[in-house]
């Protein structure tokens, strides 16, 4: 009997303590100061600012290295798994969460040319310290797909770039028109996606391709994050680094992981940190 | 080391209580009764499910909402077809023999036979070519396909938001103020996840009821295990692989190659489950056979040399499976014992829309 009573007493203590603690927001347990960073993305085509034209436009603003003209009617990319590193071993890993609830999605970002509110990625809860490098994944990895239906910028019904026939997101999307393309409406569509590798076990070739790309960019200077200092690295992305050498007469209709591989190899080089605002 | 039961025992109850309280307090706020009717339960002789239940557990309201969507033709572009147009419960949610290929808006004819829907919680890839890698994403393909419902998923969600009933039902099922894509897909999945077929006479037999199958069926089962089991593996009756069993005389449908982009997968299709095979005629992705005897005759005599032909069914210039006519009859008798009448007639799947 005594044993039961003591069990009960312990249980009640646990009950109240767990009720008390389990639902509390548990912020800054060690009260380490935290700060923020705003990473700005600025898309270019060579040395020209990137401009999005109406679908059907024949105003060809840009041209490839071999003189094929083109314009853009849609352009953008997903960014995830952002990480910051500092000269003294500082590391910040942006929290990731894929959820049906758009408000619970964490760590996924999408830059959509023409929608200026998407150009700045707002990183929060960064431990105070010095940072001189940003690393991010260009695209959406398996952890954003195999959890099932997700919301917000990953919701196909809300305009997410998602393949319905070969499940996965388009990591990097290029759409426009080029007179070099002999498709209807001189259409140009380069959809870069793919999130898994099935390496060949025998003489067979590889099945699928993981076309996520890790982009690692040193800052031009070390910056300091603190409660009062919110630095802002300015990243420039140049589309010509990706398709500048492409023959748009041939490569104008890319819609699968294997077909995207030649472009993927150039993606990491398209990004550079131009300068950093402390 | 001596195992001290009493001291450990003393800690177990508070510890368990703690876990339960944290779990109840922060994870689930469900206040509805847990009716077993609308809960997913793994059949005891089945493998663990692969579906992500942690993100979308089945409950009555979500299930019923998914059912309403499944039977609603207004989801298609012109309001003419619903999911249930090609997925009929009495045919294990495959199409009837009237439609060897799926059909869509404006009577557009599809290119493949509508697969049956059951035991989806145990599969990782969907459709004949396996291009869809999560059950949640399966409806998007059927909705957006030009030869099926021909409606953008974006516009479908827009229609639901402007519907007289759906916004309230989504709020009740998921607590959301606005209908968004993932909750539509979660509702669909909840409806489909409960399509578990594991109660055929074969299932009764393997669970210990020796009288569930007659002598002919038992002999058929043994023949099946000898000749068919390597691909149609129990208890799902598929090994979930992709194979070319030679049903295309001329290869016009590339099948799995469309997804993997390697010619080694040309003309391969997912090995279908054989559960409820009695009611899912016609057979194969191209609906080539109407009867089970035709299927068996294909395996014993019909298969021709072809690229990527599966060595389990064709080797050294001839079919590998050899069956006499009485053996075929026994296998067919056994296959019919895979019909799950409780599933085919389960009233929880009945259309309750107006």
């Amino acid at each position: 009997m005594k044993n039961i009573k003591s069990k009960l007493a312990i249980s009640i203590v646990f009950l109240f303590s767990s009720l008390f603690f389990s639902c509390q927001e548990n912020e800054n347990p060690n009260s380490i100061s935290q700060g923020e960073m705003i990473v700005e993305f600025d898309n270019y085509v060579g040395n020209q600012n990137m401009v999005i034209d109406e679908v059907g436009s024949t105003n060809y603003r840009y041209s490839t290295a071999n003189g094929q003209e083109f314009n853009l009617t849609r352009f953008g990319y997903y960014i995830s798994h952002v990480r910051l590193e500092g000269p003294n071993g500082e590391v910040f890993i942006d929290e990731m969460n894929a959820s049906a609830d758009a408000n619970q999605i964490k760590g996924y970002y999408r830059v959509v040319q023409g929608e200026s509110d998407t150009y700045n990625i707002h990183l929060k809860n960064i431990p105070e310290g010095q940072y001189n490098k940003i690393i991010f994944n260009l695209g959406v990895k398996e952890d954003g797909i195999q959890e099932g239906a997700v919301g917000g910028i990953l919701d196909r019904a809300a305009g997410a770039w998602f393949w319905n026939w070969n499940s996965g997101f388009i990591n990097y999307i290029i759409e426009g028109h080029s007179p070099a393309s002999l498709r209807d409406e001189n259409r140009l569509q380069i959809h870069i996606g793919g999130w898994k590798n099935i390496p060949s076990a025998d003489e067979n070739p590889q099945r699928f391709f993981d076309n996520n790309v890790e982009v690692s960019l040193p800052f031009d200077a070390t910056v300091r994050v603190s409660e009062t200092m919110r630095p802002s690295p300015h990243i420039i992305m140049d589309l010509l680094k990706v398709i500048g050498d492409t023959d748009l007469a041939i490569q104008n209709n890319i819609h699968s992981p294997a077909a995207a591989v030649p472009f993927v190899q150039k993606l990491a080089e398209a990004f550079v940190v131009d300068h950093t605002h402390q | 080391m001596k195992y001290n039961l009493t001291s450990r025992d003393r800690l177990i109850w508070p510890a368990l209580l703690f876990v339960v309280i944290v779990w109840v307090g922060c994870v689930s706020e469900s206040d509805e009764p847990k009716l077993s009717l609308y809960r997913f339960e793994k059949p005891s002789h089945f493998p663990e499910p692969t579906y992500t239940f942690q993100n979308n557990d089945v409950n009555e309201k979500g299930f019923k909402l998914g059912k309403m969507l499944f039977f609603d033709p207004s989801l298609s572009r012109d309001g003419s077809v619903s999911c249930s147009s090609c997925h009929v419960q009495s045919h294990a949610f495959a199409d009837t023999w009237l439609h060897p290929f799926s059909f869509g808006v404006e009577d557009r004819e599809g290119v493949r036979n509508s697969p049956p829907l059951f035991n989806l919680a145990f599969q990782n890839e969907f459709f004949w070519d396996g291009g869809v890698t999560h059950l949640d994403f399966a409806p998007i393909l059927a909705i957006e396909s030009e030869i099926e419902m021909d409606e953008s998923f974006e516009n479908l969600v827009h229609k639901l938001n402007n519907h007289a009933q759906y916004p309230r039902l989504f709020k009740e099922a998921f607590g959301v103020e606005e209908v968004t894509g993932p909750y539509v897909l979660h509702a669909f999945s909840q409806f489909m996840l409960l399509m578990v077929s594991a109660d055929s006479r074969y299932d009764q037999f393997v669970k210990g009821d020796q009288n569930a199958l007659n002598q002919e069926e038992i002999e058929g089962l043994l023949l099946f295990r000898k000749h068919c089991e390597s691909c149609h593996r129990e208890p799902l009756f598929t090994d979930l692989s992709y194979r070319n069993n030679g049903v295309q005389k001329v290869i016009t449908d590339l099948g799995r190659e469309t997804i993997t982009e390697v010619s080694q997968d040309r003309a391969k299709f997912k090995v279908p489950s054989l559960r409820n095979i009695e009611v899912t005629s016609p057979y194969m992705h191209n609906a080539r056979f109407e009867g089970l005897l035709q299927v068996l005759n294909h395996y014993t005599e019909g298969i021709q040399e072809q690229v990527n032909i599966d060595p389990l069914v064709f080797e050294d210039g001839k079919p590998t499976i050899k069956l006499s006519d009485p053996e075929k009859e026994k296998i067919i008798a056994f296959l019919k014992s895979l019909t799950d009448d409780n599933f085919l007639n389960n009233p929880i799947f009945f259309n309750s829309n107006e």
Side-chain angles (χ1 to χ4, degrees), chain B residues 191-208:
Chain B
F191 180 58
M192 291 190 285
L193 285 164
L194 290 199
M195 296 175 180
V196 175
S197 180
D199 200 19
S200 66
R201 286 191 293 112
Y202 155 83
D203 295 289
Q204 305 304 332
F205 181 79
V206 294
K207 286 199 285 188

Side-chain angles (χ1 to χ4, degrees), chain A residues 10 14-15 18 22-23 100-101 145-150 155-157 164-167 204-208 256-258, chain B residues 14 17-18 21 26 52 55 131-134 136-137 141 144 153-154 157 181-183 186 258-259 261-262 264-265:
Chain A
I10 293 169
F14 263 95
L15 192 149
S18 56
S22 62
C23 297
D101 181 350
I145 296 157
Q146 291 302 74
E147 291 294 322
V150 279
D155 177 2
R156 169 141 178 142
N164 62 17
W165 58 280
N166 189 353
S167 301
N204 289 332
Q206 171 166 341
R207 289 165 164 84
F208 300 102
S256 70
Chain B
L17 199 62
F18 178 78
I21 286 165
C26 292
T52 49
N55 299 337
V132 171
T133 59
H134 193 288
D136 288 356
F137 302 137
L141 183 51
E144 296 194 334
F153 188 46
E154 194 164 352
V157 171
Y183 295 105
H186 278 180
T258 315
I259 306 302
E261 303 182 77
V262 299
Q264 284 78 359
D265 287 338

Side-chain angles (χ1 to χ4, degrees), chain B residues 259-279:
Chain B
I259 306 302
T260 63
E261 303 182 77
V262 299
S263 61
Q264 284 78 359
D265 287 338
R266 181 161 305 167
K268 292 184 182 176
F269 295 85
K270 184 186 286 156
V271 174
S273 173
L274 301 182
R275 287 177 172 277
N276 303 298
I277 196 76
E278 183 182 10
V279 296

Side-chain angles (χ1 to χ4, degrees), chain B residues 327-339:
Chain B
E327 286 176 325
K328 287 177 187 173
E329 282 177 32
K330 287 172 185 171
I331 287 179
I332 290 169
F334 163 69
L335 290 175
K336 290 181 178 176
S337 81
L338 292 170
T339 303

Side-chain angles (χ1 to χ4, degrees), chain B residues 307-350:
Chain B
V307 62
N308 296 331
I309 193 79
D310 199 285
L312 287 173
V313 295
F314 191 91
E315 203 161 36
D316 299 329
K318 53 184 185 297
T320 59
I321 298 174
K322 293 178 180 58
L323 294 168
S324 67
D325 287 347
E327 286 176 325
K328 287 177 187 173
E329 282 177 32
K330 287 172 185 171
I331 287 179
I332 290 169
F334 163 69
L335 290 175
K336 290 181 178 176
S337 81
L338 292 170
T339 303
D340 182 350
D341 288 322
N342 288 334
F343 170 65
L344 302 178
N345 299 303
N346 187 339
I348 71 168
F349 302 117
F350 290 178

